[in-house]
Amino acid sequence: MLGALCGEPADNTGNPVTSADQTRPDVRLVTDAAALVEAVRELRSAPVIGLDCETTGLDPHGDRLRLIQLAARGCVCLVDCFRVRPCELARLFQGPGAPLIVAHNAKFDLQFLMAAGLPVPPRLFDTMLAAQILAAGTPEARQVSLADVAARYLGETVDKSEQTSDWSGELTAGQLEYAAHDAAILLRLYDALREELRTARLGNTAGLENRALPAVAWMEHTGIGFDAERWLELGLAAERRRDELARELTATAGAEDLFGNSTVNWASPEQVAEVLRRRGHEVTSTDEATLRSIQDREPLVPLILAYREASKRVGTYGERWAEHVHARTGRIHASWRQIGAASGRMACTRPNLQNLPRDPAYRSCFRPGAGRVFVKADYSQIELRIAAEIAKDRRMIEAFQRGEDLHTLTARLVLGREAVTPEDRQAAKALNFGLLYGMGVQRFRDYAELHYGVQLSLEEAAELRRAWFRTYPGVRRWHRAQPDGEAETRTLGGRKRIGVKSFTEKLNTPVQGTGADGLKAALALLWTTRDRCPSAVPVLVVHDEIVLECDVAEAEQAAVWLSECMRQGMAQFLRRVPVDVETKIIADYGGTPATVEPEPDLESAPF
DNA sequence: ACTGCTCGCGCG
DNA sequence: AAAGCGCGCGAGCAGT
Ligand SMILES: Nc1ccn([C@H]2C[C@H](O)[C@@H](COP(=O)(O)OP(=O)(O)OP(=O)(O)O)O2)c(=O)n1
Ligand SMILES: [Mg+2]
Ligand SMILES: [Mg+2]
């Protein structure tokens, strides 16, 4: 049955397959070492090769590679990994003149190659990333399955019914046919997407994404160590607090039925709003800003907010996290979306590791293995620096050249005093970025009151806000220079977002997106220079922050390496503004200090 | 039981 | 809630 695929294509019934495709390639099934050597010899001369892997499941740590499909122009090789060890493919992927490897969602295939001990091809083109880059800002950016992309750019329909079939048994003709087609279509897609990228002037962005891609696969494959026991303890404490607060809310509101049970579900915004309206507050929302505005007249408000905080911890940061611990590795392998936002930022799901509570009790549950540490590096004031460059604000540029800290300055401006705590500085971020991206005076005033306790009249708030814009007059000009109507924006790296509608989006997108460009350039550098720190692996990316895990002995080296990659990655986009990276060596993600013994200095050693 | 929506909120 | 932006997740709720 398998032999049929080596020559004439056949379907499951053994009948010849008819196809409209006149250029159907030669399909070859490789089931022994000699055939693999021969296949690699032939493929090695191809400049571009489509790669697709069929696996027994979606988990590179648990499931197995079954079939590796390699498509050159006019020739598809299917390597049956149950019959032949694919190590020989290292010769295809590596060395001078190695081919460009084209794959769809290559992060998936790369993780299986990594698990199999195969090298990561040095030159990659991911058709999914390309489609996301081209569609940034449109709903199509979220519909990027191979079938979607093939339909969009080739007008071809792809049958995915075999994708989820059983790949652990005897391979059927239908499966082999499907596998060959999937790989072959990648080459045509590559041609079409490369042309689209060229005409949209997005080639540089695609290059950047494809260079960052191995680091993202590396990070996902690595996962991160997690102390589930301590995490669950925090959940139980939050649960007790939540239930206590619910009882107190019910008692305070007098919302008990005959049995003393609550008639209100405090987790329902609708019911909370109804309670508040009955108590004389004309609210249409119950978010924190609304609740704060009635806090003076409503004793339930602090209880509701505390209840919400506890509920958040029980729900979003609760016991379900134990399900994310991988049975084999004992670590959490979140799913990283390399292009997760319309701006170009990454995103993270199942679970989202980019919005862990800042509370060290939670963050310290993420820990390196024994004898290892985390090295965490975060860009300083990054979007202010980028905005200074984009808006060409002389005052802001010069402030950065002098090494000033604008978050601290803004905290001082609003507080009216010199002394600023780390919390004050953290709060100033929302003010700086709020004003930078178009926040109005009303919201500015309420924020200042809530976080700094400074009560301002609307006129006083307006004056402070004007003072901020007087300090950075280039930012005000930049605001006024924004065009009306729908626009497309570009980052300093050339990344494009289309359909940008509102004034505030037009301000934010190129700045946030440039930050993503720089961070991805840093990831690309980390991958290509990883030999500088052999024990180091990436474990987290949090927008302008990268966390590595490495041996204690290599920590200092890793810190230098990481900060250099990050500086270089970002600095290429900033001509006038310096880039600063804050790097720390820590025993866990909560920031527990690491007691690091520096690497022995061999140069000056006595022997 | 599942899907799709809104609301609210965690993070950068 | 207000001209800050970008995400993902859980709960409630309505519809099936
Ligand atoms: N409320 C916020 C917080 C952050 N950001 C964006 C802009 C920041 O530059 C970027 C990174 O967040 P950080 O917390 O790292 O803030 P900074 O880099 O500005 O400051 P720091 O020097 O503390 O790193 O995320 C934002 O838009 N709005
Ligand atoms: Mg930062
Ligand atoms: Mg940060």
Side-chain angles (χ1 to χ4, degrees), chain A residues 378-382 544:
Chain A
D378 185 301
Y379 289 110
S380 159
Q381 311 167 69
I382 189 57
D544 78 328

Side-chain angles (χ1 to χ4, degrees), chain A residues 526 529-530 532-533 536 548 557-565:
Chain A
L526 285 171
T529 63
R530 64 195 180 283
R532 278 183 65 181
C533 232
L548 305 179
Q557 173 65 26
V560 172
W561 172 53
L562 176 57
S563 61
E564 282 180 8
C565 289

Side-chain angles (χ1 to χ4, degrees), chain A residues 274-516:
Chain A
E274 184 56 28
V275 168
L276 294 174
R277 279 190 291 265
R278 278 189 210 280
R279 293 165 68 89
H281 310 284
E282 294 188 4
V283 291
T284 54
S285 158
T286 72
D287 67 10
E288 178 170 357
T290 305
L291 294 180
R292 295 284 185 200
S293 71
I294 60 168
Q295 185 165 5
D296 290 347
R297 289 164 278 127
E298 180 47 74
L300 292 180
V301 165
L303 294 174
I304 294 168
L305 291 173
Y307 172 84
R308 292 242 177 98
E309 183 182 277
S311 295
K312 187 75 168 181
R313 291 179 174 209
V314 174
T316 306
Y317 306 105
E319 55 191 17
R320 293 197 57 186
W321 281 61
E323 299 167 21
H324 293 296
V325 177
H326 195 285
R328 267 232 173 69
T329 68
R331 295 162 73 93
I332 290 182
H333 300 262
S335 177
W336 294 89
R337 293 181 49 186
Q338 187 172 330
I339 300 177
S343 62
R345 272 190 179 185
M346 294 176 61
C348 181
T349 63
R350 284 173 303 152
N352 183 2
L353 298 176
Q354 293 184 316
N355 70 344
L356 299 171
R358 293 176 60 87
D359 182 348
Y362 280 86
R363 293 203 169 183
S364 60
C365 294
F366 293 83
R367 323 177 309 204
R372 290 167 69 81
V373 289
F374 282 155
V375 179
K376 170 184 182 297
D378 185 301
Y379 289 110
S380 159
Q381 311 167 69
I382 189 57
E383 288 184 25
L384 286 178
R385 291 177 196 268
I386 295 165
E389 187 89 24
I390 288 177
K392 302 184 173 69
D393 184 297
R394 274 192 56 187
R395 301 277 297 280
M396 203 179 269
I397 292 167
E398 288 164 5
F400 282 126
Q401 288 172 345
R402 289 193 301 273
E404 297 197 37
D405 185 315
L406 274 51
H407 293 324
T408 300
L409 292 183
T410 294
R412 286 187 185 135
L413 171 76
V414 177
L415 282 167
R417 57 170 145 83
E418 278 295 296
V420 163
T421 67
E423 292 73 28
D424 293 334
R425 182 180 182 277
Q426 180 67 26
K429 291 181 187 178
L431 288 181
N432 274 333
F433 295 118
L435 294 172
L436 182 68
Y437 299 132
M439 180 190 276
V441 64
Q442 194 111 259
R443 193 166 167 189
F444 173 79
R445 177 182 70 166
D446 287 353
Y447 189 91
E449 178 173 346
L450 177 59
H451 286 89
Y452 293 119
V454 292
Q455 299 219 4
L456 302 169
S457 67
L458 217 51
E459 200 30 65
E460 290 167 327
E463 182 47 39
L464 261 187
R465 187 173 171 279
R466 281 194 293 271
W468 191 91
F469 280 102
R470 274 198 303 277
T471 310
Y472 310 114
V475 172
R476 187 171 46 201
R477 281 192 292 275
W478 175 56
H479 281 197
R480 292 178 179 164
Q482 293 305 316
D484 288 334
E486 196 166 306
E488 74 174 46
T489 61
R490 291 260 182 186
T491 66
L492 295 179
R495 185 190 302 273
K496 182 168 78 164
R497 175 179 174 181
I498 59 183
V500 184
K501 295 190 178 64
S502 75
F503 168 68
T504 52
E505 282 173 5
K506 286 169 199 163
L507 296 173
N508 176 267
T509 303
V511 179
Q512 186 183 115
T514 299

Side-chain angles (χ1 to χ4, degrees), chain A residues 1 5 10-12 162 165 167 171-180:
Chain A
M1 177 188 62
L5 265 295
D11 64 16
N12 278 328
E162 294 282 8
S165 64
W167 287 90
L171 297 172
T172 68
Q175 284 179 315
L176 293 173
E177 177 76 7
Y178 158 82

